[in-house]
Amino acid sequence: MQPIHVIGGGLAGSEAAWQIASRGVPVVLHEMRPLRSTAVHKTGGFAELVCSNSFRSDDRDHNAVGLLHEEMRRLGSLVMRSGDANQVPAGGALAVDRDGFSQMVTAALEAHPLVDICRDEIADLPPAQWDSVIIATGPLTSPGLAAAIGTATGETALAFFDAIAPIVHRDSIDMSVAWFQSRYDHVGPGGSGADYINCPLDRAQYQAFLDALLAGDRVSFHDWESAPYFDGCLPIEIMAERGPNTLRFGPMKPVGLSNPHRPGQRPYAVVQLRQDNRLGTLFNIVGFQTKLKHAEQTRVLRMIPGLEHAEFARLGGLHRNTFLNSPKLLDGTLRLKSLPRLRFAGQITGCEGYVESAAIGLLAGRFAAAERRGEAFEPPPPTTAHGALLTHITGGHVETIDAGPQSFQPMNVNFGLFPPLAHSPRGADGARLRGTEKTIAKRRALTARALVDLDRWNRGMPVTTETIAGLVPAGTSAGVPEPHLR
Ligand SMILES: Cc1cc2nc3c(=O)[nH]c(=O)nc-3n(C[C@H](O)[C@H](O)[C@H](O)COP(=O)(O)OP(=O)(O)OC[C@H]3O[C@@H](n4cnc5c(N)ncnc54)[C@H](O)[C@@H]3O)c2cc1C
């Protein structure tokens, strides 16, 4: 059997290679380290953790990344097995001894008879005779390969920095303050004239928001990142530094909008949120990319009227990164539509985080192995954490014309990516739940549904979408996504 080539022995590539070999298919794993390193890797080991040593929450019942851990365990993940075996104390998080973790992943791959390891850099598009390739070269893909992918996919299809605006769960926005309206009620192609959620600020609220922005603690760029400020995607705090009205003439301009809650009263500034996923559960804050520290973002953004109780699916950021415009370029099994012998996995597909990268590697490996073996292989259902993440990458994000070519930005797994429950969970006595109790119950129902559906999918059984309803919660916290250090 011809081998599958995996390029990059990071979180995604290591997991992909393991999944392929575990299915009896030979694999060649190409890794350029230690011959050539990136700006952040320090070793030649596989699955090196370049920054924090945390896989974030391990709570599979109430946390989307904890659910992803559990799903990966059930799918035979090498990354999770090595993480569990090298756990260090970290409360509810799964943190690992980074050296022990990487050594275990490396040893498992080196020992597998179907894994052939090549310590080489693939500096151009893989040769035509490699008929099945997974590119998992990560956020710091070497320049030669990145340039070749850029040429193959088109000028704006590969980004080298992310410019992330915060994303809010739709049901946490106070619609007694905010309202739906497109600027000048513009319908446009595919719009309704009421596509944006608008949050109004009066003069005093705007000034207080500006002061908080300017005083907020910021994350600095690493030396090797060389601050990439383009006028099209300036962080809001940098815009605020340029003058008191810059934001009012930029992303917070109040024109073409009328507040139905205060007829006749023109807002001094308006923050707009645009739908981010097809499900309509997530809205991004338009033009609000920011380098403020995560805790500061939460505090400052909740000063915006209507967002006082906002729950954030993603907070803002600006980093050196390499990622594809995947919803346009990749098919449902992560193949490049224009060159299907190439599959992508990991951070380069637009997921974010160690665990998410490994999970997408797991899926890419399984897709490629099934294809090689001539077997049918269905993607996981979108009700699972794997399926929700995959669906987001390969099509769940909605791109609006005015959002520009890079509206797709990296994303951690979060509950906003899951299809909503058909029925709201109720308490043991059948009563409607409210507030935190409701949030916790919803999360338990979503995770329970996910695990039932994952097990059925893994056994090749048809998936029933609405398996679980009305679960009674055990305590947990809700609100802000856990940040990882970057
Ligand atoms: C500075 C920084 C800090 C981060 N911190 C965190 C964090 O704390 N927590 C978190 O969850 N996520 C973090 N991330 C995000 C991301 O999840 C990790 O980068 C993760 O390692 C991505 O997994 P990956 O497999 O896609 O890429 P990587 O793990 O980076 O693996 C890619 C591999 O490909 C190799 N490679 C690259 N080009 C080539 C080539 N042409 N030929 C052969 N091999 C090649 C690289 O050497 C590397 O081993 C961080 C990212 C960066 C850049």
Side-chain angles (χ1 to χ4, degrees):
M1 199 185 289
Q2 283 289 313
I4 293 167
H5 293 261
V6 175
I7 308 177
L11 275 297
S14 300
E15 186 64 57
W18 179 255
Q19 294 289 331
I20 294 166
S22 303
R23 273 153 192 78
V25 176
V27 53
V28 184
L29 177 56
H30 303 264
E31 170 53 57
M32 66 179 186
R33 290 176 296 116
L35 304 176
R36 175 171 188 164
S37 197
T38 74
V40 298
H41 286 86
K42 303 266 187 296
T43 74
F46 291 131
E48 178 180 335
L49 304 180
V50 292
C51 186
S52 131
N53 66 332
S54 173
F55 286 3
R56 302 164 18 239
S57 172
D58 201 27
D59 176 353
R60 66 172 222 187
D61 294 326
H62 307 99
N63 187 291
V65 78
L67 172 65
L68 195 56
H69 292 173
E70 177 59 20
E71 291 186 6
M72 291 174 75
R73 289 182 181 113
R74 293 184 186 200
L75 299 175
S77 159
L78 173 64
V79 164
M80 284 312 299
R81 179 168 19 115
S82 309
D84 287 335
N86 287 282
Q87 184 167 9
V88 296
L94 173 59
V96 305
D97 172 326
R98 67 179 75 237
D99 294 330
F101 166 74
S102 169
Q103 282 158 13
M104 188 167 162
V105 173
T106 307
L109 289 168
E110 282 175 348
H112 201 296
L114 288 175
V115 181
D116 182 10
I117 293 167
C118 285
R119 295 284 181 175
D120 55 355
E121 178 191 358
I122 308 301
D124 205 337
L125 279 194
Q129 63 270 27
W130 295 4
D131 66 345
S132 177
V133 182
I134 295 177
I135 299 180
T137 43
L140 303 172
T141 295
S142 73
L145 181 58
I149 297 169
T151 309
T153 53
E155 204 183 323
T156 55
L158 188 70
F160 293 98
F161 282 91
D162 50 38
I164 297 176
I167 293 185
V168 179
H169 288 272
R170 154 82 180 82
D171 59 6
S172 67
I173 302 172
D174 182 354
M175 296 306 289
S176 69
V177 175
W179 74 97
F180 270 104
Q181 186 184 11
S182 303
R183 217 179 278 287
Y184 299 110
D185 304 308
H186 190 65
V187 177
S192 69
D195 300 326
Y196 290 77
I197 294 179
N198 301 282
C199 298
L201 291 91
D202 63 24
R203 192 181 193 125
Q205 288 165 332
Y206 178 78
Q207 191 55 53
F209 177 72
L210 215 58
D211 293 344
L213 259 188
L214 291 170
D217 250 6
R218 301 171 192 184
V219 182
S220 41
F221 281 106
H222 301 282
D223 295 343
W224 50 268
E225 285 183 304
S226 61
Y229 289 148
F230 314 111
D231 262 2
C233 67
L234 282 179
I236 40 169
E237 60 279 8
I238 302 292
M239 276 189 258
E241 273 172 2
R242 293 189 170 181
N245 283 317
T246 309
L247 282 172
R248 255 175 34 87
F249 287 101
M252 294 177 75
K253 61 176 175 284
V255 299
L257 298 164
S258 43
N259 182 352
H261 306 298
R262 303 249 171 112
Q265 220 176 302
R266 192 166 181 243
Y268 189 70
V270 172
V271 172
Q272 287 202 303
L273 295 96
R274 179 170 47 223
Q275 186 173 332
D276 198 82
N277 63 343
R278 285 195 203 289
L279 295 170
T281 50
L282 299 177
F283 275 70
N284 64 62
I285 312 185
V286 179
F288 265 45
Q289 50 279 350
T290 171
K291 287 283 282 180
L292 285 192
K293 288 191 170 156
H294 280 182
E296 291 284 81
Q297 284 187 44
T298 312
R299 185 180 62 77
V300 174
L301 295 172
R302 284 185 179 152
M303 292 172 70
I304 297 169
L307 300 187
E308 292 89 344
H309 304 291
E311 282 180 29
F312 295 93
R314 177 179 85 185
L315 287 163
L318 202 65
H319 315 102
R320 173 75 180 81
N321 203 346
T322 311
F323 63 101
L324 294 165
N325 189 359
S326 297
K328 269 219 168 109
L329 297 171
L330 303 186
D331 71 11
T333 67
L334 298 162
R335 289 181 308 186
L336 192 62
K337 289 177 193 162
S338 59
L339 205 55
R341 73 185 175 95
L342 303 185
R343 237 185 200 95
F344 286 84
Q347 183 111 349
I348 199 166
T349 64
C351 65
E352 170 80 24
Y354 299 146
V355 184
E356 288 85 341
S357 297
I360 294 300
L362 183 153
L363 289 178
R366 286 185 165 220
F367 289 140
E371 196 176 72
R372 177 62 94 227
R373 292 168 60 98
E375 295 166 356
F377 191 71
E378 286 294 314
T383 46
T384 63
H386 278 84
L389 198 56
L390 179 72
T391 305
H392 178 74
I393 292 166
T394 58
H397 169 79
V398 280
E399 188 169 288
T400 43
I401 285 175
D402 56 345
Q406 292 189 12
S407 82
F408 175 69
Q409 292 290 324
M411 180 78 104
N412 287 120
V413 68
N414 66 80
F415 285 119
L417 301 180
F418 291 64
L421 297 162
H423 306 288
S424 255
R426 291 181 177 260
D429 55 357
R432 288 182 73 150
L433 299 170
R434 296 191 184 282
T436 310
E437 224 188 355
K438 182 175 167 193
T439 307
I440 294 169
K442 265 174 69 178
R443 290 178 180 194
R444 283 201 89 187
L446 284 169
T447 55
R449 179 181 73 175
L451 291 176
V452 170
D453 286 356
L454 182 94
D455 288 342
R456 292 182 68 88
W457 167 76
N458 199 26
R459 279 186 256 128
M461 292 162 73
V463 171
T464 55
T465 43
E466 211 49 49
T467 24
I468 306 289
L471 292 170
V472 187
T476 188
S477 63
V480 184
E482 291 163 274
H484 63 249
L485 299 174
R486 230 359 186 101

